[in-house]
Amino acid sequence: MKPLRDSIANAKVRHLHFDQTIKATVSQITFAVPGTVLALVGPTRVGKSTAIRAAAKQVYPRTKDGYIPYVIVDCSRTDAGFMSMRYLTLDLLGQLEHPFYGASSGKSRVSQTETNARLALRRAVKYRETKLIIVDEAHHLLRIKNSGGREAALESLKCLGNETGAVIVLVGSYELLKGCFCSAHFNGRLTLIEFPRYGTSDLQMKQFESILATFDQLLPWAKDNSLLSMSDLVYDGTLGSCGLVTSWVLAALGKMDASGATRLRKEHFRNVRYLQQIDAIASEINYGENVLRPVEKEGHGKDASSTSSTDERGVGRKFRRLKPGRRNPARDSISRPKVVP
C-alpha cells in the first residue's frame, strides 16, 4: 500500500489555479519594492505552501556561496500553544545559518532574548543578502498571548522589511485576513494574493473534474466506481480544494485497507468525511471570499462617497459620508420668544 500512497501524495495533476497563483506570486515578488508585505491567502489545504516555494525558486533560481536569497520558516505555536515572536526570530536565524544561533551552535535558544535575537537577525539578513522572508502558517500570528499582540506581531514583521530591505511574504489561511486589516499603516505596505478554490461555474467544474480524472487513473476502483461518477459528492466534501481531494483519497484508501477490501468504493469515502469538518472549512472560506472584494469600478451605480451599513435585522442601508465640519441639512426648530416681565 505504501507505493500507492506515495503515488497519490506525489501525483502531478494539471491544476490551473496552482499555476495561476505561482505566476501571480512571481509577478508580485518581482515588482515589490523593498519593505513590501505580501500575503498569500486561501482555503486550507489548497496548496499555498507548495506554491510559494515554487514561486521563490522561480524568482531566485541560483545561489552562490554564503548568499541566501530567500528563507522560509513555519510560524509555530511554541509558547504554551501561543505564538512567540522570539522563537520565530530564532528560527529565521537558524534558516540563515547564523553561527551563534543555528542548530549547531550549542547555545540554548531559551536563554536568548528577543531583542538580541532581533538585532542579530537584521545583521544576518543583510550579510546573507536575503531579499525574501517567507512566513508560512502565518495565521498563527493571530494567536498571541497579550492583548493587541496580533497587530504588534504584524507590525514587527513589516518593520523587519523596512530595516533590512527584504520583502516579507505571509502565507496562511483566510483567517490571516482578520489581522491584516487592523492597521492603516500596515495596509499601506500590504499586497494580497488569493489562491482560490474551484467555483461552481461550468468552466470551473470542468477544470475540477479533470483533476478527479487524473486521480481516477491511479486508484484501484471497484467496477462502476470512480471520483468522476461521484463528482458532486467529492466537490461538496472538498469545497473545490484540490489538496482536500488528496487527503480524502488517502483517508478512503486507509478505510479500504482496514476493512480488508482490495477495491475502492463510494462507501469508503462516505465513512471518513464528516459534516462538521466541512462546516468549519466552509465558514472560513465564506469569510475570506466575502472579505476579498475588489474596489468597484466607476459607473457601477455606487456613489463613491457613500458607505453601506447593516442594522440589527441585517437590512442594508446607505449613509453619505460628509466632509469634516458639515452636517445634513435640517430645519431648525422654532421656539417661542422668551417674554421678559
Side-chain angles (χ1 to χ4, degrees), residues 9-215:
N10 301 316
K12 303 296 183 182
V13 299
R14 179 62 176 167
H15 188 351
L16 293 181
H17 284 186
F18 180 76
D19 296 338
Q20 291 165 356
T21 299
I22 292 175
K23 183 178 180 180
T25 306
V26 168
S27 296
Q28 292 295 349
I29 292 173
T30 301
F31 285 95
V33 297
T36 296
V37 179
L38 305 178
L40 174 58
V41 298
T44 182
R45 298 286 298 158
V46 78
K48 301 181 294 296
S49 298
T50 306
I52 191 60
R53 284 164 171 78
K57 287 181 180 179
Q58 284 191 30
V59 179
Y60 300 106
R62 290 181 293 274
T63 62
K64 60 184 180 182
D65 290 343
Y67 174 61
I68 303 178
Y70 68 90
V71 289
I72 304 175
V73 64
D74 283 343
C75 188
S76 303
R77 296 165 64 178
T78 53
D79 187 5
F82 291 94
M83 170 58 201
S84 167
M85 286 301 294
R86 180 165 65 95
Y87 278 94
L88 179 64
T89 302
L90 291 169
D91 282 343
L92 283 169
L93 284 166
Q95 292 294 321
L96 290 167
E97 301 176 6
H98 194 288
F100 296 160
Y101 293 88
S104 60
S105 67
K107 297 185 71 173
S108 171
R109 293 167 62 92
V110 178
S111 64
Q112 309 306 313
T113 66
E114 182 178 350
T115 300
N116 289 337
R118 178 61 175 251
L119 291 172
L121 178 60
R122 287 167 53 182
R123 292 191 291 267
V125 169
K126 292 180 179 180
Y127 178 79
R128 296 296 189 186
E129 299 182 39
T130 302
K131 307 300 182 184
L132 199 61
I133 298 174
I134 301 168
V135 180
D136 204 357
E137 302 293 331
H139 47 271
H140 289 161
L141 288 168
L142 307 184
R143 293 165 173 81
I144 302 288
K145 272 186 178 180
N146 58 314
S147 60
R150 64 170 62 178
E151 182 176 349
L154 291 169
E155 288 286 348
S156 176
L157 288 170
K158 177 186 69 66
C159 291
L160 178 63
N162 289 338
E163 294 161 356
T164 62
V167 173
I168 308 297
V169 183
L170 307 177
V171 183
S173 68
Y174 284 129
E175 184 186 1
L176 177 61
L177 297 174
K178 295 179 180 179
C180 283
F181 304 128
C182 61
S183 165
H185 192 57
F186 182 81
N187 273 272
R189 294 273 184 172
L190 177 65
T191 298
L192 288 165
I193 308 166
E194 185 184 15
F195 190 156
R197 64 187 179 123
Y198 286 93
T200 55
S201 68
D202 290 343
L203 178 60
Q204 294 277 301
M205 286 302 297
K206 185 177 180 180
Q207 293 170 348
F208 184 72
E209 287 174 353
S210 71
I211 293 174
L212 302 186
T214 302
F215 280 108

Side-chain angles (χ1 to χ4, degrees), residues 137 216 239 283:
E137 302 293 331
D216 276 339
L239 302 170
S283 177

Side-chain angles (χ1 to χ4, degrees), residues 239 275-285:
L239 302 170
L275 189 60
Q276 192 69 24
Q277 290 177 286
I278 305 305
D279 285 346
I281 298 171
S283 177
E284 182 183 275
I285 290 175

